[in-house]
Amino acid sequence: VASQSSHSDAASGMKLSIGGKTISFSPDYDPSSLRTDVAGKLVKKLVPNGALVKKGGAYAEIEVMKMFMPLKVEEAGVITWANNEGAALAAGDLLATLELENPENVSTTDIFEGDLNVEGWGSLEEYKSSGSGRPHITLRKAIDRLENGMSGFVLSSSAIESTMKNIADAVTDQSLAAYEIDEQLSVLNGRIDGALFDELSRITCDSKTSKFPADQFKRLIAQHMSNIKDEAERANFLALTTPLVSVADPYTKSLAESAPGAERVLSCFLSILREWVSVERWFCDGISYADAVENLRKANKSDNQSVLDICRSHALLKSTAVVVLKIIESIAEAGKTNVSLPGKMTSVVLGAEGLVGATPCLTDIAAMRGNDTYDALSQKCRSILIEESLPSIEDRKTKVLKVAASV
């Protein structure tokens, strides 16, 4: 497990503790910031404010343990003082700044914020639908890809876009339920009543080109179980068919004709949001990374793997925040769209009965603070929650009509 044992500063740089060993990183070379790497006292300014100091020239004297030490510039430039004579100095304190005479001679460190293009890593072709025309496989792979990305594995912006498109394609496919249920039903061949199995198989096969009758499917299973008299046999039948009923259940709760898999996807989205909140609550609200890791290690004294998993997930906060934002926008769009009106599908979770279950997740995210990423997601969630608390357009229209009729 790696943890930051000291914050990065101008004097000593950053220190990492890995496997009980400490690794020190030297501070960036910045000759434009004139600092002292030891604690002491600024005794005398050797050059006035605005003076040109040559490379290697002394610009100040400091007192350290009753000894006087000169401080020299590493590059030529014009000095601007930031401290006064007699000031007490800590290690790393800024004494003055230097406007470099030849700044092009100094190489600076740039932070890389793009995507690494490494041969063998996921290209766009990898993220295209690879379910061989079977929507349940496309959906499963897309959700797995999102979950891996949320766990801290690299998921580029193009891969996120392609994955969300795969999810949308699968959700709108009318055969999604039939393929997913047929996969679960196949393992029951020879383990449940033959006539029931044949009837369930017929319904599944006939529904691969039309809407799956999930209510009828579940009702057949319930009726057969009610006809079983022997308690042991009934318990065995219940144990065998519970996974099958669980797979069929979400398709009874998707109200929009254009998105039969909406409830199925919503349950996956909410699981991703809950996991993200459980990770980021350790790092939000202005807590430093070092303190967050220390708190994690105290809470998971005998489980270093959990600490590693949480830290790895948080390391790609910008990437995971993009996924979270897309999920939030899907939920928001579904919440304000009338499923009874015909038209283009506006959200992959349109018509899902479980949309109300998203409120606790949105509330948790809305309470997050600490940096621009948290603030942006928090603002989005607060806007959605405020909008949901207001009466719908239909309710307001009905109220106005009632008032008008009573006048």
Side-chain angles (χ1 to χ4, degrees), residues 83 130 145 214 277 319 377 391:
N83 246 316
S130 55
R145 196 174 301 123
V277 169
S319 174
L377 293 175

Side-chain angles (χ1 to χ4, degrees), residues 212-239:
F212 185 83
D215 289 315
Q216 177 188 353
F217 190 88
K218 289 177 62 179
R219 190 163 51 250
L220 282 173
I221 296 175
Q223 287 175 351
H224 183 84
M225 186 169 65
S226 65
N227 293 330
I228 299 176
K229 304 303 181 183
D230 184 74
E231 291 188 7
E233 187 179 347
R234 188 187 305 115
N236 181 59
F237 179 82
L238 177 63

